[in-house]
Amino acid sequence: MANTNLQFKTNYTVSSKIEPFYKGGKVQISKDEKHIFCTCGSHVNVLEISTGKIVHSVEHDDQEDITSFALSCDDELLVTASRALLLKQWDWRQAQCTRSWRAIHTVPVASMTFDPTSTLLATGGCDGTIKIWDVVKQYCTHNLKGSSGVVHLVQFHPDISRLQLFSSSLDCGIRLWDLRSSQCVCVLQSHYSAVTSLCFSADGGTMVSSGRDKICTVWDVNTRKAKRTVPVYEAVEGVVLLPENKDFSQIGVKSKDLHFITAGSKGVLRVWEASTARCVYTQTLPSTLIPVCGEEEEEEEEEEKDDDHRSLTYLLHLPNSSRLATVTAEHNILLYQLPGLTTQQQFVGYSDEVLDVKFLGKGDSHIIVATNSCQLKVYELLTNSCQILYGHTDTVLSLDVFKKGSLFASCAKDRSVRVWEMDSDSGQVRCVAQGSSHANAVGSISCSRMKASFIVSGSQDCTVKVWDLPADLSTAGTGMCQLTARATEKAHDKDINSVAVSPNDKLLASGSQDRTAKLWSLAGEGNLGLLGVFRGHRRGVWAVCFSPVDQVLATSSADGTTKLWSLQDFSCLKTFEGHDASVLKVIFVSRGTQLLTSGSDGLVKLWTIKTNECVKTLDAHQDKVWGLHASRKDDKMVTGSADSNITVWVDVTEVELAEEQAKQEDQILKKQELSNLLHEKKYLKALGLAISLDQPHTVLTVIKAIRQGEDSRELLEKTLLKLRLDQKESLLRYCVVWNTNARNCLDAQAVLQVLLTHLPPEELLQYQGARTHLEGLIPYTERHMQRIGHLLQASMFLNYMWQKMRVAGAPSSMGQDEEMDTTPLAQSQPFLMIDKEKGKGSGEERQDAGDDSDSGQDEDPNCPVEEEEDDEVSATKKASTCGGRIANGESTKTNGNHHSESEESSEDEDVEEDKNEQTKMVKCLPVSSAPQCQTFAS
């Protein structure tokens, strides 16, 4: 199998998600042009335009769908209306409801708008009434009746001094309300279908209305008369007046007359000259290229269907940045830059069911997504910006990417296959080849593995086709190659769900609804050669996949199992059972040693082949996971589901290994630098570097080096006082650790003496956990003092016994009552001669003991002070030591009666040292009378 040193994957974590944020309804852009507000069920989502990410979201507590909303002109207030007939006022930046009240409407609110002062709110209901609300004083000011049916449009006149409100309902008229008298002063009649939008000129004297009756009307607001009716030959959903005194010659504006832009059912923006009713510019979009069917009737049907997909539902003007925003029927939001109407940004609000997803581009920087749509969507993972690809005329069903990573293939219900190429510099994708000769929907496609030489497609017509690609495909310019199938084979008795090409491009596998998978030879120039059949699944085969290293094929089935098959004898090697429903996709990871499977139960499972074990189950989605793909570096995967969500996952194992390796390399470099600093006696820099490593033993090494030099006390004091506040805080924490061990307590006490002497109590108490650290120092310090007291007492006893021995060996003339010599032991001459070998051994023992006190070799294994090589093993091991616990203040929470393992160890060491000292003293004492001592002396 694969490399035995390979690290198995154990888990995946979510790196990013692409979720639906707009499912139809109203769209509004903030006045500062930084955010897009849009409805998504019971939410109003706020999309940040610069990043393409949802930054805020508000939701009604009753989880009722929001029927309408309005953002005030100063971007401060957001008011929403739900089907529960509640109006809620929001601080949308904090996602907090500041006020809610019952709408007086008897049925849900259909439209809402603020006046230019952001104090009045108009709501149009499905009951044919309009309410005006004072949102500052919080009461209803007007109740306007007279509209017939649903009031789907309300809009204040931009000149607030006029106090006028315009509305439209099912009678197709535009009502003008005088808010002073609460009366409808006139009904503007021009349209014969629903009025969709109104826009006003800068001076407020001219208004343009649009409707689904395929006309736009220019009105004189002062005389309340129609000045011009412009037939636009499409159902218009939005109209925007072009600003005056700006150069729009790029889009056909040649005169200073009034011009406006329309958006509607044809899916393109068009510029109209009001005075002549003439279209001066039509936006061009990527065509659908060559239709699949040649008959005229079918071509017309395809065009009408395509128009439905591309039709525009909203048109919004961003005057500050001179941009336009359009909303499509497929819930895509596109931003265009004036005056050239160049596409600037595209956001996909709702993708419907995700049918397939693949990584794309250099370094897997993009993903290509096939949804329940004829359009393909290419997302840039870094910014979530989307590129929408037109070409297929029916739902795209499957995708595959060539090894190069910038070339991919797609197939669809329109019976065609297409090859697309991404430009490495601009990131733009274009269709470079197309083929269509299947008799039914093409459900699966696979690319050649070694180089971009051919593609294989499997269809519902039960055939498999092999399409050769021209060698100069990527250099064919802007033209598109027409592909011809070099081999066609009736492969199965039912629909073909999956095809896969082997890593060496010599074999082909196919899986079908007829419950079988088949192996084919691709080596011949003519037809495909059948090599064998894999039988064993009880239901249809959903996916087939070759191992990247072994002669093994993996299949997944609707019977809930995944099987591994031998390519030699077509026998079943292993069966993996764990999904509760159909297993829709299977892929190899970890160089062929593990499998990833996804099912209609919404789960993704990670399997280790050798042990036949499910290592991890990821509760990834709420519905069928159709899309599953691993990156070329095998460090991440992407899943796409019928719940419309796309999730990018990162291999936790790879992340941990990379972080640990980088951390170890960084520590090695820092320790080398630390050694150089100590050699150069740059103690301040050395101490700061050691503290940054967060290793108490390394810091202790620097402290010992400082205390070994000349004028160590002054040098230590000078060095410590120059440290930063956070470094002193860490040092205090380390002192608590060092003080638990008798061998390092002198260094800890030396540091504490400097800190406690020179730092005011107010500063010390600001340190994190300072009280706990200081409380933890007290019991150990008391024990060290007791031990030193015992040693002093023992030394006095030794001094006393020494003098007694001198008296016993003195001349007879010395009186019994003669005063004892109290000269210190170190200053007196040795009277007894001890055996040289034994003395040498004792000296060595003492020397070794002194070395141990510096090296820390005999420390308690649970003590945090460890050797440097132990610190480098793993972060987990470091975190499990006492050092981590004491540093977090857990083991240092003591009241004087608390005894930890380190304390008991220190006590045992103290008792052992005292016993050793007493034993040495006993060896020096006389065994019997003075003559015996005299004998030893001789």
Side-chain angles (χ1 to χ4, degrees):
M1 299 280 292
N3 189 353
T4 56
N5 295 325
L6 178 68
Q7 181 73 35
F8 283 147
K9 301 183 189 309
T10 57
N11 194 10
Y12 285 89
T13 184
V14 176
S15 172
S16 62
K17 279 190 175 183
I18 300 175
E19 299 176 300
F21 64 85
Y22 172 60
K23 294 184 178 180
K26 184 177 179 180
V27 175
Q28 187 175 348
I29 297 179
S30 59
K31 191 173 183 179
D32 61 11
E33 302 178 3
K34 293 181 179 179
H35 300 94
I36 299 176
F37 291 73
C38 49
T39 56
C40 186
S42 61
H43 295 77
V44 172
N45 291 321
V46 184
L47 180 77
E48 189 174 42
I49 295 177
S50 59
T51 63
K53 299 185 184 301
I54 299 298
V55 292
H56 305 288
S57 182
V58 300
E59 180 185 16
H60 277 235
D61 296 335
D62 52 17
Q63 295 186 342
E64 289 282 349
D65 283 353
I66 294 175
T67 58
S68 186
F69 73 91
L71 178 69
S72 62
C73 296
D74 58 6
D75 293 343
E76 293 299 322
L77 300 179
L78 175 69
V79 177
T80 59
S82 71
R83 293 190 181 277
L85 305 181
L86 272 179
L87 295 175
K88 285 182 177 289
Q89 182 176 309
W90 301 84
D91 178 359
W92 59 270
R93 293 182 176 88
Q94 304 297 327
Q96 292 181 349
C97 179
T98 57
R99 177 181 169 233
S100 63
W101 68 96
R102 297 285 298 181
I104 308 175
H105 297 279
T106 57
V107 287
V109 174
S111 56
M112 301 172 67
T113 188
F114 272 94
D115 79 324
T117 65
S118 300
T119 57
L120 296 180
L121 173 70
T123 59
C126 296
D127 55 3
T129 65
I130 301 171
K131 318 292 183 186
I132 309 294
W133 308 85
D134 189 323
V135 295
V136 177
K137 298 180 181 179
Q138 303 180 1
Y139 71 98
C140 180
T141 62
H142 298 76
N143 185 13
L144 309 178
K145 299 181 180 179
S147 301
S148 58
V150 177
V151 181
H152 59 264
L153 187 150
V154 288
Q155 190 165 339
F156 286 95
H157 192 281
D159 184 0
I160 191 59
S161 62
R162 298 197 183 199
L163 284 177
Q164 292 178 341
L165 178 74
F166 295 83
S167 70
S168 182
S169 59
L170 292 181
D171 60 5
C172 306
I174 302 173
R175 281 179 165 77
L176 174 58
W177 302 86
D178 184 359
L179 299 183
R180 290 185 176 90
S181 62
S182 299
Q183 298 295 321
C184 175
V185 294
C186 72
V187 179
L188 306 179
Q189 296 286 357
S190 173
H191 293 277
Y192 299 94
S193 184
V195 178
T196 54
S197 69
L198 304 174
C199 66
F200 295 86
S201 61
D203 59 4
T206 303
M207 179 181 74
V208 179
S209 62
S210 65
R212 297 195 180 110
D213 53 4
K214 302 184 179 182
I215 64 170
C216 289
T217 305
V218 182
W219 303 88
D220 188 326
V221 178
N222 298 321
T223 62
R224 302 165 189 172
K225 300 293 183 182
K227 296 197 297 184
R228 186 81 180 184
T229 297
V230 180
V232 295
Y233 310 108
E234 68 170 328
V236 183
E237 298 293 336
V239 61
V240 166
L241 278 171
L242 282 175
E244 299 177 0
N245 302 321
K246 287 191 176 181
D247 182 15
F248 293 104
S249 58
Q250 294 185 40
I251 51 176
V253 178
K254 305 297 182 182
S255 65
K256 294 184 179 180
D257 293 339
L258 184 70
H259 290 76
F260 58 89
I261 300 178
T262 59
S265 58
K266 290 189 176 180
V268 294
L269 298 177
R270 295 195 286 175
V271 182
W272 300 83
E273 188 176 42
S275 60
T276 62
R278 183 170 58 93
C279 178
V280 297
Y281 179 82
T282 301
Q283 182 189 24
T284 57
L285 288 178
S287 65
T288 57
L289 304 174
I290 299 175
V292 175
C293 302
E295 298 181 4
E296 294 181 0
E297 293 182 0
E298 294 189 7
E299 287 184 17
E300 292 177 0
E301 290 177 2
E302 297 291 350
E303 288 178 2
E304 290 178 2
K305 187 185 295 185
D306 192 58
D307 286 345
D308 291 340
H309 292 309
R310 291 187 177 182
S311 62
L312 304 178
T313 57
Y314 282 94
L315 176 62
L316 306 170
H317 187 212
L318 289 70
N320 296 338
S321 57
S322 189
R323 290 184 293 177
L324 293 176
T326 63
V327 182
T328 71
E330 288 206 331
H331 314 303
N332 304 323
I333 302 175
L334 292 83
L335 295 180
Y336 298 100
Q337 184 67 56
L338 289 171
L341 287 182
T342 55
T343 305
Q344 191 182 54
Q345 286 176 285
Q346 301 181 74
F347 305 107
V348 176
Y350 181 65
S351 294
D352 203 356
E353 188 172 354
V354 178
L355 301 182
D356 205 357
V357 60
K358 292 286 189 296
F359 282 106
L360 180 69
K362 185 178 180 181
D364 299 316
S365 58
H366 296 68
I367 55 173
I368 177 71
V369 183
T371 63
N372 194 16
S373 165
C374 60
Q375 305 164 6
L376 286 171
K377 300 175 178 69
V378 180
Y379 289 90
E380 185 180 10
L381 292 176
L382 190 61
T383 63
N384 272 9
S385 63
C386 180
Q387 189 178 160
I388 301 173
L389 307 181
Y390 298 91
H392 286 287
T393 56
D394 207 339
T395 304
V396 180
L397 297 176
S398 184
L399 302 164
D400 198 17
V401 182
F402 288 92
K403 184 178 181 180
K404 185 179 178 182
S406 60
L407 205 65
F408 67 95
S410 62
C411 61
K413 285 184 178 180
D414 61 8
R415 313 172 206 172
S416 72
V417 298
R418 290 181 180 268
V419 180
W420 310 77
E421 184 181 30
M422 170 185 277
D423 184 84
S424 57
D425 297 327
S426 65
Q428 295 298 309
V429 180
R430 65 185 182 91
C431 184
V432 294
Q434 185 237 13
S436 55
S437 60
H438 278 287
N440 212 327
V442 187
S444 180
I445 197 164
S446 181
C447 301
S448 54
R449 301 292 96 189
M450 300 188 72
K451 63 178 182 178
S453 57
F454 65 89
I455 57 175
V456 179
S457 60
S459 170
Q460 289 182 357
D461 61 12
C462 305
T463 66
V464 171
K465 290 181 181 288
V466 182
W467 312 77
D468 282 329
L469 301 182
D472 57 347
L473 183 65
S474 60
T475 60
T478 58
M480 185 178 62
C481 300
Q482 291 298 314
L483 302 179
T484 304
R486 71 166 163 92
T488 301
E489 186 73 29
K490 185 181 184 304
H492 291 271
D493 297 329
K494 292 185 178 180
D495 299 354
I496 297 175
N497 293 328
S498 178
V499 290
V501 178
S502 65
N504 61 3
D505 286 347
K506 293 182 179 180
L507 300 175
L508 170 69
S510 59
S512 169
Q513 282 294 104
D514 63 8
R515 306 180 185 180
T516 67
K518 294 184 179 181
L519 185 67
W520 308 83
S521 173
L522 284 171
E525 294 293 334
N527 294 333
L528 297 172
L530 180 62
L531 299 178
V533 182
F534 304 97
R535 292 186 174 90
H537 284 293
R538 299 186 304 275
R539 299 187 68 182
V541 177
W542 273 114
V544 293
C545 183
F546 284 97
S547 169
V549 292
D550 296 320
Q551 293 188 4
V552 171
L553 180 74
T555 61
S556 62
S557 168
D559 62 12
T561 66
T562 301
K563 292 180 180 289
L564 284 183
W565 308 84
S566 170
L567 299 183
Q568 301 292 334
D569 55 7
F570 309 104
S571 62
C572 180
L573 302 175
K574 287 179 180 289
T575 299
F576 302 89
E577 296 180 321
H579 287 278
D580 296 331
S582 300
V583 186
L584 303 175
K585 280 290 176 74
V586 57
I587 59 173
F588 285 89
V589 291
S590 304
R591 301 178 190 172
T593 60
Q594 290 181 296
L595 288 174
L596 278 171
T597 60
S598 64
S600 56
D601 52 8
L603 302 178
V604 174
K605 289 181 177 289
L606 174 65
W607 307 82
T608 298
I609 294 176
K610 185 176 182 180
T611 60
N612 211 34
E613 175 189 9
C614 178
V615 179
K616 186 69 178 180
T617 298
L618 303 173
D619 191 1
H621 297 277
Q622 303 300 318
D623 207 340
K624 304 178 186 67
V625 183
W626 289 110
L628 176 66
H629 190 227
S631 62
R632 286 187 294 276
K633 291 184 179 179
D634 204 19
D635 57 347
K636 55 186 177 182
M637 70 168 175
V638 61
T639 56
S641 169
D643 62 8
S644 306
N645 292 331
I646 302 165
T647 306
V648 180
W649 306 79
V650 177
D651 175 24
V652 179
T653 309
E654 295 287 344
V655 173
E656 289 177 345
L657 287 175
E659 289 179 352
E660 183 178 349
Q661 183 178 1
K663 189 174 182 179
Q664 289 181 354
E665 292 176 354
D666 183 57
Q667 287 183 346
I668 292 172
L669 292 175
K670 285 185 176 181
K671 287 181 178 180
Q672 291 176 353
E673 183 180 356
L674 179 64
S675 177
N676 295 334
L677 291 173
L678 289 177
H679 180 72
E680 298 171 4
K681 296 186 178 181
K682 296 180 179 179
Y683 295 120
L684 180 61
K685 290 185 178 180
L687 189 58
L689 181 61
I691 293 174
S692 70
L693 291 171
D694 197 23
Q695 296 178 1
H697 178 68
T698 307
V699 180
L700 180 63
T701 303
V702 180
I703 295 296
K704 288 182 179 293
I706 296 174
R707 296 188 68 231
Q708 287 176 356
E710 297 180 359
D711 300 327
S712 59
R713 183 173 181 178
E714 291 77 7
L715 181 60
L716 181 65
E717 181 178 310
K718 179 181 178 182
T719 304
L720 296 184
L721 294 179
K722 288 184 178 179
L723 293 175
R724 298 193 310 268
L725 182 68
D726 59 317
Q727 292 174 329
K728 294 175 184 176
E729 183 179 334
S730 299
L731 205 57
L732 177 62
R733 177 162 48 92
Y734 298 152
C735 285
V736 178
V737 179
W738 302 335
N739 199 50
T740 60
N741 193 286
R743 295 186 177 90
N744 304 322
C745 66
L746 294 180
D747 300 296
Q749 293 296 329
V751 174
L752 286 172
Q753 182 182 8
V754 176
L755 295 178
L756 298 177
T757 304
H758 294 84
L759 300 182
E762 295 80 9
E763 181 179 339
L764 284 172
L765 291 176
Q766 290 179 358
Y767 294 166
Q768 185 178 3
R771 293 181 182 273
T772 305
H773 295 330
L774 294 174
E775 289 175 359
L777 286 167
I778 294 173
Y780 288 101
T781 303
E782 289 177 347
R783 295 183 62 79
H784 296 324
M785 292 298 295
Q786 292 174 3
R787 180 174 57 83
I788 293 174
H790 291 322
L791 289 176
L792 287 174
Q793 291 177 5
S795 66
M796 291 299 293
F797 175 72
L798 178 63
N799 194 14
Y800 172 76
M801 295 301 297
W802 177 255
Q803 296 302 330
K804 283 294 185 182
M805 288 188 292
R806 291 183 64 185
V807 170
S812 57
S813 60
M814 181 179 290
Q816 294 293 328
D817 297 329
E818 189 174 351
E819 192 173 319
M820 184 175 68
D821 184 13
T822 58
T823 305
L825 179 63
Q827 298 177 5
S828 60
Q829 298 294 328
F831 188 76
L832 297 176
M833 300 298 295
I834 302 174
D835 184 73
K836 291 184 179 180
E837 292 298 326
K838 292 182 179 180
K840 183 178 179 181
S842 300
E844 288 177 351
E845 288 180 5
R846 293 188 184 94
Q847 183 64 36
D848 291 342
D851 292 341
D852 287 344
S853 66
D854 290 336
S855 64
Q857 295 283 342
D858 298 328
E859 296 176 13
D860 188 344
N862 292 324
C863 179
V865 183
E866 302 176 354
E867 296 184 7
E868 293 187 12
E869 60 182 10
D870 291 336
D871 292 332
E872 295 178 357
V873 172
S874 68
T876 306
K877 186 174 181 181
K878 280 204 298 184
S880 65
T881 60
C882 284
R885 295 197 297 271
I886 293 175
N888 292 329
E890 295 179 6
S891 292
T892 56
K893 294 179 182 177
T894 176
N895 57 5
N897 297 323
H898 176 76
H899 298 281
S900 65
E901 295 180 2
S902 298
E903 182 180 349
E904 294 173 358
S905 175
S906 178
E907 182 178 1
D908 294 341
E909 291 175 359
D910 297 345
V911 173
E912 187 66 28
E913 288 180 4
D914 292 343
K915 288 182 180 179
N916 293 338
E917 292 292 341
Q918 293 175 8
T919 303
K920 294 175 184 178
M921 286 188 290
V922 169
K923 288 181 180 178
C924 296
L925 296 179
V927 180
S928 57
S929 60
Q932 204 168 2
C933 287
Q934 188 72 27
T935 304
F936 281 125
S938 63

